[in-house]
Amino acid sequence: MARILITGGCGFIGSSLAFDLTSRGYQVTVVDNLSRRGSELNLSRLLAKGVEFANGDSRDPSSLEKLKETFACLVECSAEPSVLSAAVGDGARSLLDVNLLGALNSFEWARRRGVPVIFFSSSRVYPYDRLNACHYRETATRFEFVDGCPGVSPAGVSTGMPLDGIRSLYGASKLSAELILREYAAQYGLPAIISRCGVVAGPWQMARADQGIFTFWMARHYFRLPLQYIGFGGNGRQVRDLLHINDLTDLLARQVSALVERPSDFKGDIFNIGGSTRSSLSLCEATEICRRITGNEVAITSMMEDRPSDVIWYVSDNGPTGRAFGWEPKRSPEDILQDIFTWIKDNERLLREIFL
Ligand SMILES: NC(=O)c1ccc[n+]([C@@H]2O[C@H](COP(=O)([O-])OP(=O)(O)OC[C@H]3O[C@@H](n4cnc5c(N)ncnc54)[C@H](O)[C@@H]3O)[C@@H](O)[C@H]2O)c1
């Protein structure tokens, strides 16, 4: 069976995909510099499943050059994934080194070896100033989209949303890498898929306050630690769609298989990925679910000031993605938060180091 390379393969999405592909009979190699706290926990689980590991840094081209095997596909998941990185202070250079230079190094490697690429991009490529200027209705628990935004409808944000605007340095790093990959596809014929992903959550996400918010929310309830609603009125009504990691890996396995079998069909095509309107929730709705599942009520304070680059509402219109790959997400926000709760409960001693 074909061998797949996953960069950032000890992270949340990369490791989950490695397990899924292994169970489908693929051979998998992961490259990671283990910079994300908790990735070392995923590494020991991956090694136990026979996944090959190379300790490497995407910023250094020789990390991939050293690999001797033949690969049928590269899934590029190595990144600094927080939209808040470099939001203040001097972090721009290191963010761009990882997210842009690292991506470029992997595209160059793939071009020279003729390996098709799936690049993990983000919903953060869509400009937040445009999204926040849309018209929303405020209900008792959430904001609901009404109108006023080209490319956006109550079904979500489509890939047709105009991209001129402000999006955060994180979003800019992802969009820049996308543009380069599309040129590689057009000029060099490198088969490629670009996956613009919204919020993903599930077991083995080593969540932090600035990344992995719904897993973080459940962990804070589980360990009875305080939380804060930040911005947009300070009452937790901002909305995201939420995708279970297993729904994501189900789609990614279909994308890998399509890219391996029909590489010439993919020329840098862009797909939105998310839970869609079927799995959207606000923070205060997440609080209610976490309370119900854990039986714990934690103190939640309010901060009126918005966080840098934050959006009132983001839901992925993933209709075209579903039609292209015969896929739809199956798990609800309740299912997702319940799975995270069970994972924390079953691994409490290990996870104290991460969440406390
Ligand atoms: N998790 C989400 O909700 C989400 C949403 C949208 C997009 N994404 C994107 O998906 C991809 C994977 O995200 P994730 O949630 O698994 O993040 P993660 O932080 O869990 O995984 C990233 C992995 O990359 C590794 N890494 C970081 N810098 C590296 C470098 N220079 N060289 C080699 N390895 C390096 C980290 O150690 C980590 O294991 C990222 O590109 C992220 O931007 C994630």
Side-chain angles (χ1 to χ4, degrees):
M1 190 81 162
R3 181 171 285 279
I4 311 298
L5 175 63
I6 306 175
T7 46
C10 295
F12 171 48
I13 292 173
S15 64
S16 306
L17 177 62
F19 284 117
D20 185 289
L21 292 178
T22 305
S23 73
R24 293 172 199 262
Y26 289 95
Q27 296 176 295
V28 179
T29 300
V30 296
V31 173
D32 204 295
N33 68 356
L34 303 178
S35 56
R36 176 75 184 245
R37 190 168 174 226
S39 287
E40 68 287 354
L41 301 179
N42 288 329
L43 173 58
S44 45
R45 297 167 55 239
L46 289 166
L47 292 175
K49 278 281 175 202
V51 171
E52 296 218 351
F53 169 65
N55 195 327
D57 194 306
S58 62
R59 292 166 293 191
D60 172 7
S62 72
S63 292
L64 295 186
E65 301 303 344
K66 280 186 221 149
L67 301 172
K68 298 283 177 259
E69 299 95 331
T70 300
F71 294 96
C73 178
L74 162 68
V75 187
E76 169 25 7
C77 290
S78 69
E80 168 41 68
S82 169
V83 70
L84 288 175
S85 52
V88 288
D90 297 330
R93 177 74 210 206
S94 72
L95 169 73
L96 295 173
D97 275 351
V98 175
N99 287 11
L100 189 50
L101 181 63
L104 172 63
N105 285 337
S106 61
F107 302 159
E108 258 302 294
W109 174 88
R111 178 187 70 81
R112 282 202 299 276
R113 294 223 193 169
V115 178
V117 175
I118 296 178
F119 173 60
F120 242 87
S121 187
S122 166
S123 58
R124 292 300 190 153
V125 302
Y126 299 111
Y128 68 82
D129 55 349
R130 279 181 171 267
L131 275 169
N132 288 345
C134 301
H135 178 206
Y136 297 97
R137 176 189 311 119
E138 195 169 353
T139 72
T141 63
R142 62 160 64 197
F143 288 103
E144 285 177 353
F145 177 85
V146 178
D147 57 24
C149 243
V152 187
S153 74
V157 175
S158 76
T159 53
M161 183 181 179
L163 291 179
D164 55 314
I166 306 297
R167 55 180 54 75
S168 75
L169 269 174
Y170 167 76
S173 72
K174 290 291 185 183
L175 183 58
S176 307
E178 281 189 11
L179 291 171
I180 292 166
L181 183 56
R182 281 174 70 87
E183 294 304 324
Y184 272 52
Q187 290 187 31
Y188 306 128
L190 179 68
I193 287 177
I194 292 167
S195 294
R196 286 184 182 161
C197 198
V199 177
V200 188
W204 301 101
Q205 183 174 37
M206 309 302 170
R208 317 181 297 226
D210 66 333
Q211 206 267 332
I213 186 65
F214 290 104
T215 301
F216 179 78
W217 215 255
M218 172 52 87
R220 301 291 285 186
H221 277 83
Y222 184 92
F223 291 111
R224 299 171 198 257
L225 295 167
L227 283 164
Q228 189 168 48
Y229 294 134
I230 302 175
F232 307 119
N235 47 24
R237 287 180 189 157
Q238 55 265 60
V239 169
R240 299 288 184 273
D241 61 340
L242 182 57
L243 184 66
H244 192 289
I245 185 65
N246 293 353
D247 280 327
L248 174 62
T249 57
D250 177 28
L251 171 65
L252 287 176
R254 290 163 197 246
Q255 291 190 329
V256 166
S257 153
L259 199 49
V260 170
E261 282 161 26
R262 300 180 277 111
S264 56
D265 283 5
F266 299 99
K267 300 177 168 57
D269 307 52
I270 296 172
F271 296 97
N272 274 354
I273 302 179
S276 77
T277 46
R278 291 151 49 116
S279 175
S280 74
L281 79 170
S282 69
L283 270 184
C284 71
E285 289 165 354
T287 299
E288 272 316 302
I289 300 172
C290 291
R291 280 182 186 158
R292 213 165 45 239
I293 293 173
T294 61
N296 298 337
E297 187 157 340
V298 304
I300 305 184
T301 52
S302 288
M303 188 167 107
M304 300 308 279
E305 195 186 331
D306 298 347
R307 286 219 285 201
S309 327
D310 207 359
V311 284
I312 295 174
W313 179 93
Y314 183 85
V315 171
S316 320
D317 178 352
N318 61 15
T321 312
R323 289 190 287 281
F325 296 99
W327 168 84
E328 63 180 4
K330 296 192 182 75
R331 282 93 170 170
S332 67
E334 286 82 0
D335 298 334
I336 300 169
L337 289 165
Q338 178 67 54
D339 274 7
I340 296 167
F341 170 78
T342 306
W343 164 64
I344 298 175
K345 189 159 160 290
D346 291 349
N347 297 276
E348 186 179 324
R349 275 184 49 203
L350 200 62
L351 295 176
R352 280 180 168 274
E353 282 175 38
I354 305 293
F355 292 125
L356 292 183

